[in-house]
Amino acid sequence: MTNRELMEGIGLPEEGQRVVEGRHMAEAAYRRWKELFYKDTERFLREAGREEQKEQLLLYLYVSFAAELYEEYKRQGIEDKVYFDTFYDFTIWYRCCLKRRGTPGLIEEGWLSLPLKLGIFRLGRLQFEKGDGALHVHIPEGEPLTDEACEDSFRQADAFFDSSYTMYDCDSWLLSPNLSCVLDDGSNIMKFQKRFQIQKVSYPYRQAEERIFGKVLESKEAYQEETSLQKKAKRYLLEGGDIGIGYGVIYR
């Protein structure tokens, strides 16, 4: 797999592709970065964070690492669709980098290290991260979270992962029972939530506000009201509500 083939396969914008293809790095330097990444990821992240134009450096390195990882996917018999869908996360966070920092590159480099270590896979609409006896479910931004798409993802996951993983779990604002004050039972989010046995709700930070409105504001009055969800959530927050974060499980 070449870098160009990977970038085209995940729909990375042309500007991002030019960043990768325009970067020149000596082979010895590249191998040092790669060895450090797989040997000591925390140190890799610290050192990369001190580099000028770190976002572009990370984009170049992560695309290159992922392209070289393709052979391992083939060796394990993992379909090309899973490979490209999994690394589409690069494209998602590339766009976030442009939006938040005004520069092409990658952010959330700690999170994006997971697929490079075969620690997470995207199967259809959902991502599944391998944990200790559990598969952690994540919901990437993008297309609607329809009941049919979620059913297909869990079906794929049941076939993809072995029986050593005894349950799925999810820690997200989408699983907070407080959403019943904001959404109808027939909404996609509430249908997704009902798949899980909710075990607790916590309030460590305002994740729901970040996801619904794009950022957390001190004044809830300042939140935009462009969608029906934003309108309902804002009303709930102004009335003193706190959506929180729910944790739930599905036993396989």
Side-chain angles (χ1 to χ4, degrees), residues 83-100:
Y83 173 80
F84 287 117
D85 285 354
T86 296
F87 286 107
Y88 179 72
D89 229 23
F90 288 0
T91 300
I92 291 175
W93 290 105
Y94 172 87
R95 290 175 176 149
C96 287
C97 185
L98 278 177
K99 183 178 180 180
R100 296 180 188 178

Side-chain angles (χ1 to χ4, degrees), residues 89-247:
D89 229 23
F90 288 0
T91 300
I92 291 175
W93 290 105
Y94 172 87
R95 290 175 176 149
C96 287
C97 185
L98 278 177
K99 183 178 180 180
R100 296 180 188 178
R101 300 186 183 174
T103 186
L106 284 182
I107 55 175
E108 293 295 330
E109 54 269 28
W111 165 256
L112 291 176
S113 71
L114 294 175
L116 292 169
K117 298 178 179 181
L118 301 175
I120 192 170
F121 299 91
R122 181 165 181 172
L123 305 173
R125 181 65 184 86
L126 304 173
Q127 294 168 311
F128 299 88
E129 178 190 356
K130 296 190 289 186
D132 186 11
L135 294 164
H136 309 311
V137 181
H138 301 280
I139 308 93
E141 68 174 49
E143 58 269 25
L145 190 68
T146 66
D147 199 38
E148 295 77 14
C150 292
E151 183 67 27
D152 178 64
S153 284
F154 281 110
R155 178 190 59 77
Q156 290 187 55
D158 283 340
F160 189 87
F161 297 101
D162 63 48
S163 60
S164 65
Y165 300 98
T166 60
M167 70 177 186
Y168 300 103
D169 68 357
C170 185
D171 199 20
S172 170
W173 69 277
L174 297 174
L175 266 60
S176 172
N178 296 339
L179 281 172
S180 63
C181 299
V182 177
L183 298 170
D184 298 328
D185 283 347
S187 71
N188 286 334
I189 290 176
M190 295 306 292
K191 288 180 179 178
F192 176 76
Q193 182 181 125
K194 289 176 181 177
R195 292 176 177 273
F196 293 82
Q197 298 177 32
I198 309 301
Q199 298 190 339
K200 66 177 180 179
V201 181
S202 57
Y203 304 89
Y205 63 98
R206 294 150 64 184
Q207 184 189 67
E209 293 171 57
E210 180 184 358
R211 298 294 190 270
I212 294 171
F213 301 104
K215 56 184 176 181
V216 176
L217 300 177
E218 286 305 312
S219 172
K220 297 180 176 61
E221 288 279 3
Y223 282 135
Q224 60 190 357
E225 299 181 63
E226 297 178 357
T227 69
S228 60
L229 174 58
Q230 288 174 341
K231 292 175 182 177
K232 293 177 181 178
K234 182 175 179 178
R235 187 182 313 122
Y236 178 71
L237 294 169
L238 290 174
E239 291 172 351
D242 188 343
I243 293 174
I245 296 174
Y247 173 78

Side-chain angles (χ1 to χ4, degrees), residues 3 6-7 10 20 25 30 33-34 37-38 41-42 44-46 48 54-69 83 87 89-90 93 105-117:
N3 286 357
L6 169 60
M7 292 187 293
I10 63 175
V20 172
M25 181 179 292
Y30 171 75
W33 279 115
K34 184 176 181 181
F37 174 83
Y38 284 104
T41 304
E42 290 187 5
F44 167 90
L45 295 175
R46 288 196 303 271
K54 65 177 182 179
E55 295 88 356
Q56 290 88 345
L57 171 66
L58 287 163
L59 179 63
Y60 168 77
L61 290 174
Y62 276 24
V63 165
S64 300
F65 295 168
E68 292 182 352
L69 192 62
Y83 173 80
F87 286 107
D89 229 23
F90 288 0
W93 290 105
L106 284 182
I107 55 175
E108 293 295 330
E109 54 269 28
W111 165 256
L112 291 176
S113 71
L114 294 175
L116 292 169
K117 298 178 179 181

